[in-house]
Amino acid sequence: MQIELAPLQLPDFGLPSVEPRIPAATYEQRLQKLHLHAAGWNFDAVLVYGDREHYANMAYLTGYDPRFEEALLILTHERDGFLEQLFSRTAPAGWKPVRARTPVLLVGNEGWGYTEISPIKLERILYQNFSLPGQPRDRSKSLESILRAQGITAGSKVGVIGWKYDESDTTTYTNWLDIPAYIADTLRAIVGTEGQVLNLTPALIDPVNGQRIINEVDQLAAFEFAATQTSQAVRNVLFGLKPGMTEFDAVRLMGLNGLPHSVHLML
Protein backbone atom coordinates (compact mmCIF):
# COMPACT_ATOMS: atom_id res chain seq x y z
CA MET A 1 0.00 0.00 0.00
CA GLN A 2 1.33 3.40 -0.98
CA ILE A 3 0.31 6.31 1.20
CA GLU A 4 0.59 9.84 -0.07
CA LEU A 5 0.18 13.08 1.81
CA ALA A 6 -1.04 15.64 -0.69
CA PRO A 7 -2.86 18.97 -0.58
CA LEU A 8 -6.46 18.93 -1.78
CA GLN A 9 -8.69 21.71 -2.97
CA LEU A 10 -11.92 21.83 -0.99
CA PRO A 11 -14.72 23.05 -3.25
CA ASP A 12 -16.62 26.15 -2.19
CA PHE A 13 -20.30 25.99 -3.06
CA GLY A 14 -21.19 29.25 -1.34
CA LEU A 15 -24.23 29.92 0.80
CA PRO A 16 -27.88 30.26 -0.25
CA SER A 17 -29.25 33.78 -0.04
CA VAL A 18 -32.91 32.88 0.58
CA GLU A 19 -34.14 30.73 3.47
CA PRO A 20 -36.81 28.20 2.40
CA ARG A 21 -40.07 28.47 4.29
CA ILE A 22 -42.36 25.56 5.06
CA PRO A 23 -45.79 26.59 3.74
CA ALA A 24 -48.98 26.59 5.78
CA ALA A 25 -50.42 23.74 3.68
CA THR A 26 -47.63 21.42 4.85
CA TYR A 27 -48.31 22.17 8.51
CA GLU A 28 -52.04 21.68 7.94
CA GLN A 29 -51.42 18.27 6.39
CA ARG A 30 -49.26 17.28 9.36
CA LEU A 31 -51.96 18.34 11.80
CA GLN A 32 -54.63 16.56 9.80
CA LYS A 33 -52.62 13.35 9.77
CA LEU A 34 -52.17 13.50 13.54
CA HIS A 35 -55.89 14.16 13.99
CA LEU A 36 -56.67 11.13 11.84
CA HIS A 37 -54.32 8.99 13.93
CA ALA A 38 -55.85 10.25 17.17
CA ALA A 39 -59.39 9.69 15.92
CA GLY A 40 -58.51 6.16 14.89
CA TRP A 41 -57.47 5.42 18.48
CA ASN A 42 -60.56 7.20 19.88
CA PHE A 43 -58.68 10.09 21.44
CA ASP A 44 -60.81 13.13 22.19
CA ALA A 45 -57.87 15.54 22.37
CA VAL A 46 -54.13 15.69 21.79
CA LEU A 47 -51.87 17.94 23.85
CA VAL A 48 -48.35 18.75 22.65
CA TYR A 49 -45.98 20.14 25.28
CA GLY A 50 -42.93 22.21 24.36
CA ASP A 51 -40.15 24.22 25.95
CA ARG A 52 -36.80 25.56 24.78
CA GLU A 53 -35.08 22.18 24.88
CA HIS A 54 -38.05 20.08 23.79
CA TYR A 55 -39.69 22.02 21.01
CA ALA A 56 -39.29 19.84 17.91
CA ASN A 57 -42.75 18.26 17.95
CA MET A 58 -44.50 21.59 18.41
CA ALA A 59 -42.38 23.25 15.73
CA TYR A 60 -43.07 20.34 13.37
CA LEU A 61 -46.82 20.84 13.73
CA THR A 62 -47.06 24.64 13.84
CA GLY A 63 -43.75 26.34 13.01
CA TYR A 64 -43.77 27.83 16.52
CA ASP A 65 -40.80 27.01 18.75
CA PRO A 66 -40.90 28.18 22.39
CA ARG A 67 -37.96 30.54 22.91
CA PHE A 68 -38.36 31.73 26.50
CA GLU A 69 -41.15 29.77 28.16
CA GLU A 70 -43.16 26.60 28.00
CA ALA A 71 -46.07 26.22 25.60
CA LEU A 72 -48.96 23.81 25.17
CA LEU A 73 -50.71 22.99 21.90
CA ILE A 74 -54.25 21.63 22.21
CA LEU A 75 -55.76 19.73 19.29
CA THR A 76 -59.39 18.62 19.31
CA HIS A 77 -61.79 17.41 16.64
CA GLU A 78 -65.46 16.76 16.06
CA ARG A 79 -66.41 13.14 16.68
CA ASP A 80 -69.10 13.21 13.97
CA GLY A 81 -66.89 14.65 11.25
CA PHE A 82 -64.32 11.98 10.51
CA LEU A 83 -65.30 11.81 6.85
CA GLU A 84 -65.47 15.54 6.28
CA GLN A 85 -63.36 16.31 3.21
CA LEU A 86 -61.15 19.04 4.57
CA PHE A 87 -57.85 19.91 2.88
CA SER A 88 -59.06 17.92 -0.14
CA ARG A 89 -56.83 19.92 -2.49
CA THR A 90 -53.63 19.18 -0.61
CA ALA A 91 -54.20 15.89 1.21
CA PRO A 92 -52.84 12.65 -0.29
CA ALA A 93 -55.28 10.52 -2.26
CA GLY A 94 -57.39 8.21 -0.13
CA TRP A 95 -57.34 10.35 3.00
CA LYS A 96 -60.52 10.77 5.00
CA PRO A 97 -59.74 13.83 7.12
CA VAL A 98 -61.38 14.58 10.44
CA ARG A 99 -63.25 17.76 11.19
CA ALA A 100 -60.52 19.48 13.18
CA ARG A 101 -61.09 22.53 15.33
CA THR A 102 -58.69 25.46 15.19
CA PRO A 103 -55.50 24.52 17.08
CA VAL A 104 -55.21 26.24 20.45
CA LEU A 105 -51.80 27.41 21.66
CA LEU A 106 -51.20 28.31 25.30
CA VAL A 107 -48.27 30.69 25.75
CA GLY A 108 -46.85 32.99 28.41
CA ASN A 109 -46.26 36.73 28.31
CA GLU A 110 -43.15 36.66 26.14
CA GLY A 111 -44.45 34.01 23.81
CA TRP A 112 -47.63 35.94 22.96
CA GLY A 113 -46.23 38.12 20.20
CA TYR A 114 -43.84 35.47 18.92
CA THR A 115 -46.73 33.19 17.94
CA GLU A 116 -47.00 35.27 14.76
CA ILE A 117 -44.10 33.23 13.39
CA SER A 118 -46.54 30.37 12.71
CA PRO A 119 -48.02 30.47 9.19
CA ILE A 120 -51.21 28.66 10.24
CA LYS A 121 -54.29 29.91 12.03
CA LEU A 122 -53.95 29.43 15.78
CA GLU A 123 -56.20 30.42 18.65
CA ARG A 124 -53.88 31.99 21.21
CA ILE A 125 -54.62 31.75 24.91
CA LEU A 126 -52.50 33.58 27.45
CA TYR A 127 -51.48 31.30 30.31
CA GLN A 128 -49.17 33.37 32.46
CA ASN A 129 -47.95 30.54 34.64
CA PHE A 130 -45.79 29.67 31.64
CA SER A 131 -44.12 33.07 32.07
CA LEU A 132 -40.82 33.57 33.84
CA PRO A 133 -40.86 34.04 37.64
CA GLY A 134 -41.61 37.59 38.70
CA GLN A 135 -43.67 38.46 35.63
CA PRO A 136 -47.36 39.45 35.82
CA ARG A 137 -49.89 36.68 36.40
CA ASP A 138 -53.05 38.72 36.61
CA ARG A 139 -54.82 38.01 33.30
CA SER A 140 -54.99 34.22 33.01
CA LYS A 141 -57.66 31.67 33.75
CA SER A 142 -56.67 28.50 35.55
CA LEU A 143 -55.24 25.62 33.55
CA GLU A 144 -58.22 23.47 34.52
CA SER A 145 -60.76 25.97 33.23
CA ILE A 146 -58.83 26.39 29.97
CA LEU A 147 -58.68 22.64 29.37
CA ARG A 148 -62.35 22.18 30.21
CA ALA A 149 -63.27 24.97 27.80
CA GLN A 150 -61.53 22.98 25.04
CA GLY A 151 -63.87 20.05 25.63
CA ILE A 152 -61.72 17.95 27.95
CA THR A 153 -64.13 16.59 30.53
CA ALA A 154 -64.75 13.60 32.77
CA GLY A 155 -64.29 10.43 30.75
CA SER A 156 -62.19 12.03 28.00
CA LYS A 157 -59.35 10.13 26.39
CA VAL A 158 -56.39 12.49 26.03
CA GLY A 159 -53.15 11.84 24.17
CA VAL A 160 -50.06 13.67 25.39
CA ILE A 161 -47.00 14.32 23.24
CA GLY A 162 -43.86 15.29 25.12
CA TRP A 163 -40.50 14.29 23.71
CA LYS A 164 -40.00 10.64 24.67
CA TYR A 165 -41.88 7.54 25.78
CA ASP A 166 -41.34 4.25 27.59
CA GLU A 167 -39.37 2.22 25.05
CA SER A 168 -39.60 -0.94 27.12
CA ASP A 169 -43.13 -1.35 25.76
CA THR A 170 -43.72 0.36 22.42
CA THR A 171 -46.71 -1.75 21.41
CA THR A 172 -49.29 0.08 23.50
CA TYR A 173 -49.91 3.63 24.70
CA THR A 174 -48.93 3.85 28.35
CA ASN A 175 -49.50 6.07 31.36
CA TRP A 176 -45.80 7.01 31.29
CA LEU A 177 -45.66 10.81 30.75
CA ASP A 178 -42.72 13.19 30.47
CA ILE A 179 -44.50 16.53 30.89
CA PRO A 180 -44.59 18.77 34.00
CA ALA A 181 -46.50 17.16 36.86
CA TYR A 182 -48.91 20.09 37.24
CA ILE A 183 -50.17 19.56 33.68
CA ALA A 184 -50.43 15.78 34.03
CA ASP A 185 -52.11 16.05 37.45
CA THR A 186 -54.66 18.57 36.14
CA LEU A 187 -55.50 16.41 33.13
CA ARG A 188 -55.94 13.27 35.22
CA ALA A 189 -58.09 15.11 37.74
CA ILE A 190 -60.38 16.35 34.95
CA VAL A 191 -60.87 13.05 33.10
CA GLY A 192 -61.23 11.08 36.33
CA THR A 193 -61.26 7.32 36.67
CA GLU A 194 -63.47 6.88 33.60
CA GLY A 195 -61.03 8.72 31.35
CA GLN A 196 -57.44 8.21 30.23
CA VAL A 197 -54.34 10.38 29.82
CA LEU A 198 -51.89 8.44 27.68
CA ASN A 199 -48.53 8.99 26.03
CA LEU A 200 -49.06 9.59 22.30
CA THR A 201 -45.48 10.62 21.48
CA PRO A 202 -44.81 7.47 19.38
CA ALA A 203 -47.32 8.76 16.85
CA LEU A 204 -44.71 11.34 15.85
CA ILE A 205 -41.30 9.85 16.65
CA ASP A 206 -41.62 6.05 16.59
CA PRO A 207 -38.63 4.96 14.44
CA VAL A 208 -40.80 2.73 12.24
CA ASN A 209 -44.26 4.31 12.11
CA GLY A 210 -43.72 7.80 13.50
CA GLN A 211 -45.10 10.65 11.43
CA ARG A 212 -41.91 12.70 11.64
CA ILE A 213 -39.65 10.05 10.11
CA ILE A 214 -40.94 11.03 6.65
CA ASN A 215 -39.71 14.44 5.53
CA GLU A 216 -41.59 16.42 2.90
CA VAL A 217 -39.63 18.18 0.18
CA ASP A 218 -40.32 21.49 1.97
CA GLN A 219 -38.69 20.14 5.11
CA LEU A 220 -35.73 18.76 3.21
CA ALA A 221 -35.12 22.19 1.71
CA ALA A 222 -35.21 23.79 5.16
CA PHE A 223 -32.82 21.17 6.52
CA GLU A 224 -30.44 21.68 3.60
CA PHE A 225 -30.40 25.44 4.16
CA ALA A 226 -29.44 24.90 7.81
CA ALA A 227 -26.85 22.27 6.84
CA THR A 228 -25.07 24.67 4.49
CA GLN A 229 -24.72 27.19 7.31
CA THR A 230 -23.21 24.54 9.58
CA SER A 231 -20.87 23.26 6.88
CA GLN A 232 -19.59 26.76 6.19
CA ALA A 233 -19.02 27.35 9.91
CA VAL A 234 -16.91 24.18 10.13
CA ARG A 235 -15.01 25.19 7.00
CA ASN A 236 -14.29 28.62 8.49
CA VAL A 237 -12.76 27.00 11.58
CA LEU A 238 -10.67 24.46 9.66
CA PHE A 239 -9.18 27.10 7.39
CA GLY A 240 -8.75 29.69 10.13
CA LEU A 241 -7.09 27.69 12.90
CA LYS A 242 -3.65 28.87 14.00
CA PRO A 243 -1.16 27.62 16.61
CA GLY A 244 -1.89 29.07 20.03
CA MET A 245 -5.49 29.97 19.22
CA THR A 246 -7.98 29.44 22.06
CA GLU A 247 -11.31 27.68 21.70
CA PHE A 248 -13.04 31.03 22.12
CA ASP A 249 -11.11 32.49 19.19
CA ALA A 250 -11.83 29.42 17.08
CA VAL A 251 -15.56 29.67 17.70
CA ARG A 252 -15.53 33.28 16.55
CA LEU A 253 -14.35 32.04 13.18
CA MET A 254 -17.65 30.26 12.61
CA GLY A 255 -19.35 33.47 11.53
CA LEU A 256 -22.75 32.32 12.75
CA ASN A 257 -25.68 34.36 11.53
CA GLY A 258 -28.29 34.11 14.28
CA LEU A 259 -30.22 31.03 13.16
CA PRO A 260 -31.55 29.18 16.22
CA HIS A 261 -29.53 26.13 17.22
CA SER A 262 -30.99 22.69 17.82
CA VAL A 263 -28.31 22.10 20.46
CA HIS A 264 -25.87 24.33 22.30
CA LEU A 265 -22.76 25.38 20.39
CA MET A 266 -19.89 22.92 20.71
CA LEU A 267 -16.26 22.98 19.61
Side-chain angles (χ1 to χ4, degrees):
M1 179 183 298
Q2 182 177 0
I3 300 175
E4 179 185 1
L5 178 63
L8 297 176
Q9 292 295 324
L10 185 64
D12 186 356
F13 298 108
L15 290 175
S17 58
V18 178
E19 181 181 3
R21 298 290 184 180
I22 298 175
T26 299
Y27 289 113
E28 290 168 350
Q29 287 183 25
R30 293 172 176 178
L31 286 166
Q32 188 62 29
K33 188 173 182 179
L34 181 57
H35 274 293
L36 188 64
H37 181 100
W41 287 90
N42 294 319
F43 283 94
D44 299 294
V46 176
L47 273 60
V48 184
Y49 172 80
D51 57 33
R52 184 59 214 138
E53 288 187 290
H54 314 114
Y55 64 88
N57 289 321
M58 184 173 292
Y60 169 81
L61 294 169
T62 66
Y64 175 82
D65 61 312
R67 294 289 179 93
F68 314 104
E69 312 156 322
E70 306 88 76
L72 190 67
L73 178 68
I74 304 175
L75 306 175
T76 56
H77 48 258
E78 302 287 351
R79 276 194 170 275
D80 61 349
F82 294 165
L83 303 183
E84 186 73 14
Q85 295 300 310
L86 300 179
F87 307 113
S88 58
R89 296 181 181 178
T90 55
W95 268 27
K96 297 179 180 178
V98 301
R99 194 198 312 270
R101 300 188 182 99
T102 300
V104 173
L105 184 63
L106 273 62
V107 294
N109 295 322
E110 293 186 72
W112 182 262
Y114 183 57
T115 57
E116 298 296 333
I117 194 174
S118 174
I120 64 174
K121 180 182 179 182
L122 294 169
E123 179 185 346
R124 295 181 299 172
I125 294 181
L126 181 64
Y127 182 61
Q128 291 176 300
N129 278 334
F130 282 161
S131 303
L132 299 177
Q135 290 192 5
R137 281 167 165 73
D138 57 346
R139 293 187 292 127
S140 296
K141 296 181 179 179
S142 69
L143 181 60
E144 179 181 354
S145 63
I146 292 173
L147 295 175
R148 288 187 180 277
Q150 300 308 312
I152 299 174
T153 60
S156 292
K157 183 178 180 180
V158 180
V160 174
I161 296 178
W163 71 287
K164 64 170 62 173
Y165 54 95
D166 182 4
E167 294 189 84
S168 63
D169 183 5
T170 58
T171 59
T172 60
Y173 299 110
T174 70
N175 295 317
W176 194 95
L177 301 180
D178 65 329
I179 61 173
Y182 68 91
I183 299 178
D185 291 345
T186 302
L187 282 170
R188 286 169 172 157
I190 293 174
V191 304
T193 57
E194 299 300 317
Q196 292 178 295
V197 181
L198 304 177
N199 195 321
L200 194 56
T201 309
L204 291 186
I205 68 169
D206 178 84
V208 176
N209 300 309
Q211 186 175 328
R212 281 181 52 198
I213 67 172
I214 302 297
N215 289 306
E216 308 91 346
V217 65
D218 298 318
Q219 186 65 69
L220 291 174
F223 281 157
E224 177 62 18
F225 177 84
T228 60
Q229 309 297 321
T230 304
S231 296
Q232 185 62 48
V234 174
R235 180 192 179 102
N236 292 344
V237 172
L238 292 177
F239 282 80
L241 282 176
K242 297 179 180 179
M245 181 176 283
T246 68
E247 290 93 337
F248 295 119
D249 292 332
V251 168
R252 292 188 183 98
L253 295 172
M254 291 183 179
L256 300 173
N257 60 3
L259 281 177
H261 297 167
S262 59
V263 296
H264 61 82
L265 193 150
M266 291 170 282
L267 180 126

